[in-house]
Amino acid sequence: MAVNLPGPGKAQRMRLRVEVSGVVQGVGFRPYIYREAVKRSLKGWVLNNRQGVVMEVEGSASSVDQFLAELKQCSLRLARINDIRCTVIDTADDHKFIIRESGSEGDGVPRIPADVAVCPSCREDILSPHNRRYQYPFTNCTDCGPRYTIIQGVPYDRKETTMSGFAMCEECEEEYHNPLNRRFHAQPNACPQCGPQAVLCDSRGVMVPGHWREQTLALLKAGHILAVKGLGGFHLACDAKNPEAVQTLRYRKGRPARPFAVMCRDEDLVRRYCSVDEKEAELLDSPEAPIVVLRRRSGCILPKGLAPKAGTLGVMLPYTPLHHLLFDQDLVMLVMTSGNETGLPLAKDTQEALRDIGSVADFFLTHNRPIHKRCDDSLLQVIQKVPHLLRRSRGFVPASIPVPVPNNSAQVFAAGGDIKNSFCFLKDGHAYPGPHIGDLAYAETRRVHLEAAGELAEMLQVEPTVVAFDCHPGYHSAALAAQKPGTREPVWHHHAHLASCMGENYLTGPVIGVICDGTGYGRDGTIWGGEVLSGDYLDFEREFHLEPVPLPGGEAAVRHPWRMAVSWLWQSTGEEGVTLAKALFADKEREIDFLSTMLKRKVNSPLASSCGRLYDAAAALLGICRENTYDGQAPMELAEAALGHERGTYPFTIEGKTISCSTLMHSLAEDFLRGKDAGKIAAAFEATIVEVFAAAVERVRQKTGLDRVVLSGGSFQNPYLLTALRTRLQAAGFQVYTQRQVPANDGGLALGQALVAAWRRTV
């Protein structure tokens, strides 16, 4: 931050032009400037422009100095100042300080504010019977409310939002223009007389008679499933303490096992069912209001169907006034899962929701404030008191991340991967990750990807000349990238993971990368996923990798982990392994014979060196999980089974660049057949994986002298694997870096792609 304070005599009158960049629009910044200027009898003006906020202040030098000192220490709840630049100019003839209409000048990247959870003052307004906004679900002020999801253009003013169709009443106008009111220039300001309205309808779109809140509470208590329109799209909601309602929602949505997120009435209720530390509590009640993964208390009496086979629960607090009004003394916890048909984008319009999830929801609680941009809930977990994002979306998008780039680097668009897709823009040393998009296997999701990328590019005023994408020849994201103008820059999947972790930790120069995930296309045409690399943004070398094993049936082996178990046992000891597999999976004897034939003939059995598939095989061998009904199910359930057990280890070998785990897998199977506890075996398996990668990293150091290690890939969402390997490496003298600001999974891939492209394509 460059603040160049003037140095004339303190009594001398002077005028400064002050330009401020950062998150300074939509956060009450201009009213704050107004109050501070008037307090010091300064004259002049302030306005928004495309780069941020610009102002001119005139008065005594001492008053101007005081004003700048206050500005530098800005304590606004939501503002994030990146830079302050001052220029002494000629004095003018202003008689007062005013807020001017926004301007269009400025050539920087405008900082668009993210959506903000309801503030305590607005929460009090909607719960106070004598307040004119009592039970009004669209109450907001400069400290809270919708931003990113309603913005249609920049600079951020009401006319550039979806609130432009709602003319403020006299009272709201008075608030909006009163500098002493907390709703001064709050762009979404509204009340029951002039603002958006909620409405309840059935699955045909027919309005339900009666007051929307009373009817909604009654329907939820009766066990019905409701689609609820929120900030960035619809949720599917039901009473989380009603087992029948939870199971009905699972059946209708075709989601048999994946954990549901829940929304709790208040933090006290969260603590009744989950363990909450200081950092987790802070995050739950933060302006971003993400879903936080919490450990359930032992003896927790919540329905098992909320998170089958998981000892954790994804929890959030109400983050809009409407959400607060969905609870009372009896209804205290709701399932709040994404409002979409499996695989399709999040529904954001009422007609879209009726079409896509009309067969899931019994009723629809909707409203007439348009959502301009879809934005799913963000998800994170706290590991050793440090938050790690698992999904970066609402509350965080479109905030930027400072990253290291060479001088004169190109503006870049990165398309991301196909699963957990999120794109990224890169300009002037800042990365702008887009919202969570989802699975690009579906045409509707690909359409949303193009739509969201175009909207964010326009808002940020970026014009990429380089387009980065994954090297996989069949990726939809690569095909979408081909539709963008600019120089094409393919990036290998695991190189992007390495660069992503480097970038958010502001690292340059070569590092060692341990990259563990389920699937990524490798340079040799096989599937990678258990990699120890060395490299930087420009290039990488594959130093070590897990032993490649066949995936019998390709995607079928990903869906059915028992197939991976058969493959590992066949690879370890041939026919003896097949016999062992039949003993483990007695009901699969015929299928195992068929698979062994496929493996011998190398038919439809692509090779994979994947850590995710290794976890799959171990989970199946131990009877923990035979079928993945959602991404990462088997590894998650194995990690859960391992908790609380002593961590012994199994043997492994490293030959050349290959880390062989055949002996490990054979030993797992034999121990399980001998009757050893599956949890103990799972714990030893995980401890062995830590030793496997620690040994490989040490060999890379001996070869290269490198001692900085980055950990990335979806496997590092496993808290044990992340913390144990980090601790092990730090004890050996390594500097270890992990991902926090973007997901370690493929949701962070685009950041790495963008950085690789920027370093390769300097202009």
Side-chain angles (χ1 to χ4, degrees):
M1 183 187 301
V3 182
N4 303 312
L5 298 179
K10 297 300 181 182
Q12 182 179 338
R13 189 169 184 82
M14 65 177 303
R15 188 177 183 94
L16 280 187
R17 180 179 174 89
V18 184
E19 297 170 281
V20 184
S21 64
V23 180
V24 289
Q25 294 188 16
V27 296
F29 197 79
R30 288 177 300 170
Y32 159 75
I33 292 297
Y34 176 93
R35 291 190 297 271
E36 294 302 324
V38 170
K39 185 189 302 182
R40 295 168 177 81
S41 300
L42 298 175
K43 315 302 181 186
W45 50 264
V46 61
L47 59 74
N48 285 343
N49 69 2
R50 292 188 182 278
Q51 190 169 8
V53 170
V54 61
M55 69 201 76
E56 291 185 8
V57 292
E58 182 174 334
S60 69
S62 60
S63 295
V64 172
D65 280 352
Q66 292 169 16
F67 173 84
L68 288 175
E70 167 61 34
L71 179 59
K72 187 177 180 181
Q73 301 298 323
C74 177
S75 58
L76 281 180
R77 176 178 180 237
L78 305 176
R80 300 290 184 273
I81 294 177
N82 292 339
D83 196 28
I84 302 173
R85 298 194 177 275
C86 305
T87 306
V88 178
I89 59 176
D90 292 338
T91 57
D93 218 9
D94 296 329
H95 300 293
K96 58 183 178 179
F97 195 91
I98 62 172
I99 295 178
R100 283 186 176 179
E101 287 294 316
S102 298
S104 59
E105 71 270 16
D107 58 0
V109 177
R111 300 297 192 265
I112 310 303
D115 297 301
V116 183
V118 60
C119 69
S121 297
C122 284
R123 187 164 61 236
E124 184 178 338
D125 287 349
I126 66 168
L127 299 177
S128 301
H130 300 297
N131 192 289
R132 74 188 189 94
R133 289 185 172 85
Y134 177 57
Q135 294 192 355
Y136 182 56
F138 307 100
T139 299
N140 65 86
C141 69
T142 52
D143 282 337
C144 67
R147 265 69 166 171
Y148 171 73
T149 51
I150 65 169
I151 293 174
Q152 297 171 304
V154 292
Y156 175 53
D157 280 321
R158 190 181 182 96
K159 64 184 179 182
E160 296 290 350
T161 74
T162 61
M163 286 296 293
S164 60
F166 298 93
M168 285 185 281
C169 66
E170 187 175 334
E171 287 182 275
C172 285
E173 281 276 7
E174 193 281 329
E175 294 170 334
Y176 184 84
H177 292 291
N178 180 359
L180 301 179
N181 193 290
R182 78 172 198 276
R183 294 189 169 92
F184 182 48
H185 280 247
Q187 305 306 335
N189 189 32
C191 75
Q193 281 66 50
C194 64
Q197 300 294 322
V199 63
L200 182 66
C201 63
D202 63 20
S203 59
R204 298 168 298 164
V206 178
M207 188 181 300
V208 176
H211 190 274
W212 70 267
R213 181 173 187 251
E214 294 172 358
Q215 296 297 331
T216 295
L217 292 175
L219 290 168
L220 288 168
K221 291 175 184 178
H224 289 288
I225 296 167
L226 270 71
V228 179
K229 186 178 180 182
L231 273 182
F234 277 80
H235 285 110
L236 286 165
C238 69
D239 182 356
K241 299 182 76 173
N242 182 331
E244 291 77 18
V246 173
Q247 288 306 125
T248 298
L249 178 53
R250 285 203 175 279
Y251 172 76
R252 291 184 187 176
K253 201 176 180 190
R255 188 168 159 177
R258 187 175 183 175
F260 280 143
V262 300
M263 180 178 282
C264 290
R265 184 185 62 197
D266 52 48
E267 188 181 317
D268 288 343
L269 189 79
V270 178
R271 292 182 181 278
R272 187 183 306 172
Y273 296 107
C274 300
S275 298
V276 184
D277 66 20
E278 184 178 349
K279 175 55 70 174
E280 289 164 340
E282 176 186 323
L283 291 164
L284 284 168
D285 200 33
S286 68
E288 294 81 10
I291 301 169
V292 181
V293 178
L294 301 174
R295 176 66 43 185
R296 285 192 287 185
R297 291 189 180 278
S298 59
C300 175
I301 60 172
L302 291 173
K304 295 186 185 301
L306 290 175
K309 293 190 177 182
T312 56
L313 195 61
V315 181
M316 57 182 157
L317 294 177
Y319 57 84
T320 72
L322 185 144
H323 290 137
H324 276 281
L325 297 172
L326 297 180
F327 299 93
D328 63 12
Q329 292 304 308
D330 300 314
L331 192 63
V332 296
M333 183 184 293
L334 296 173
V335 168
M336 278 285 187
T337 189
S338 299
N340 62 328
E341 188 178 346
T342 299
L344 295 182
L346 185 69
K348 71 180 179 74
D349 303 318
T350 302
Q351 291 304 313
E352 188 177 59
L354 289 168
R355 180 195 69 205
D356 292 347
I357 52 178
S359 60
V360 181
D362 301 310
F363 295 91
F364 288 71
L365 176 58
T366 184
H367 57 76
N368 61 340
R369 183 178 69 197
I371 297 171
H372 186 61
K373 288 180 279 297
R374 298 166 216 265
C375 204
D376 215 333
D377 293 315
S378 294
L379 174 67
L380 58 76
Q381 63 180 337
V382 176
I383 302 175
Q384 292 186 328
K385 302 189 183 303
V386 176
H388 293 260
L389 276 164
L390 307 180
R391 183 170 68 207
R392 188 181 192 273
S393 208
R394 176 188 53 76
F396 295 91
V397 173
S400 66
I401 300 171
V403 291
V405 294
N407 293 331
N408 301 317
S409 63
Q411 293 185 27
V412 181
F413 170 76
D418 270 22
I419 306 297
K420 299 179 176 66
N421 177 260
S422 176
F423 54 81
C424 183
F425 290 98
L426 187 60
K427 180 182 179 181
D428 297 337
H430 281 82
Y432 300 86
H436 170 77
I437 302 295
D439 187 349
L440 296 184
Y442 302 88
E444 294 89 342
T445 314
R446 297 195 291 274
R447 176 182 58 79
V448 169
H449 169 101
L450 291 172
E451 175 186 280
E455 289 171 348
L456 190 55
E458 183 177 354
M459 290 172 62
L460 296 173
Q461 303 292 300
V462 294
E463 297 180 356
T465 57
V466 177
V467 178
F469 55 93
D470 195 279
C471 288
H472 194 298
Y475 262 21
H476 295 289
S477 52
L480 293 174
Q483 300 181 36
K484 303 281 186 182
T487 304
R488 293 167 57 79
E489 186 63 52
V491 181
W492 294 104
H493 189 95
H494 296 93
H495 188 198
H497 273 305
L498 177 144
S500 179
C501 191
M502 285 182 66
E504 76 156 87
N505 286 285
Y506 219 86
L507 301 178
T508 56
V511 300
I512 302 169
V514 181
I515 316 298
C516 295
D517 60 6
T519 301
Y521 188 67
R523 275 179 170 164
D524 59 1
T526 67
I527 299 167
W528 292 8
E531 314 303 314
V532 181
L533 313 176
S534 65
D536 54 20
Y537 297 113
L538 293 172
D539 204 358
F540 73 96
E541 182 174 343
R542 193 186 195 195
E543 302 284 358
F544 295 96
H545 57 83
L546 290 178
E547 176 182 357
V549 296
L551 273 64
E555 282 299 315
V558 178
R559 174 81 181 204
H560 301 284
W562 68 268
R563 286 176 170 243
M564 286 307 305
V566 173
S567 182
W568 268 103
L569 292 174
W570 176 82
Q571 175 135 326
S572 65
T573 53
E575 290 301 327
E576 181 185 342
V578 173
T579 301
L580 198 55
K582 289 179 179 179
L584 287 164
F585 309 111
D587 59 328
K588 301 286 186 184
E589 187 169 340
R590 291 182 62 183
E591 290 98 321
I592 290 171
D593 285 335
F594 177 70
L595 291 183
S596 65
T597 301
M598 288 178 63
L599 292 167
K600 291 172 189 174
R601 297 178 179 177
K602 301 181 180 180
V603 176
N604 191 21
S605 299
L607 292 175
S609 60
S610 164
C611 186
R613 302 292 80 82
L614 182 63
Y615 262 82
D616 282 354
L621 283 175
L622 301 177
I624 293 169
C625 181
R626 284 191 175 192
E627 181 181 8
N628 280 321
T629 63
Y630 63 89
D631 183 45
Q633 179 177 350
M636 185 279 289
E637 292 182 3
L638 182 141
E640 192 68 35
L643 288 176
H645 293 285
E646 291 185 12
R647 303 275 182 174
T649 58
Y650 286 101
F652 64 90
T653 59
I654 300 179
E655 300 175 2
K657 291 191 172 187
T658 302
I659 304 167
S660 175
C661 293
S662 293
T663 305
L664 161 65
M665 300 304 287
H666 193 82
S667 300
L668 255 65
E670 289 187 327
D671 276 358
F672 184 65
L673 286 173
R674 291 191 191 104
K676 189 173 181 178
D677 180 77
K680 291 182 179 179
I681 301 173
F685 166 80
E686 287 202 296
T688 305
I689 299 303
V690 170
E691 291 304 313
V692 159
F693 286 109
V697 168
E698 181 57 54
R699 293 192 182 200
V700 179
R701 178 164 64 179
Q702 292 171 5
K703 171 188 171 184
T704 65
L706 298 174
D707 64 359
R708 295 186 301 171
V709 183
V710 298
L711 308 180
S712 188
S715 296
F716 286 110
Q717 291 179 174
N718 176 332
Y720 170 78
L721 185 60
L722 180 74
T723 56
L725 182 56
R726 178 171 57 196
T727 301
R728 175 73 171 76
L729 292 173
Q730 287 173 337
F734 290 95
Q735 300 174 61
V736 184
Y737 301 88
T738 60
Q739 305 226 241
R740 303 171 310 283
Q741 299 182 74
V742 297
N745 62 36
D746 283 6
L749 206 63
L751 173 60
Q753 292 172 347
L755 283 162
V756 169
W759 280 82
R760 287 177 176 172
R761 299 283 180 176
T762 56
V763 294

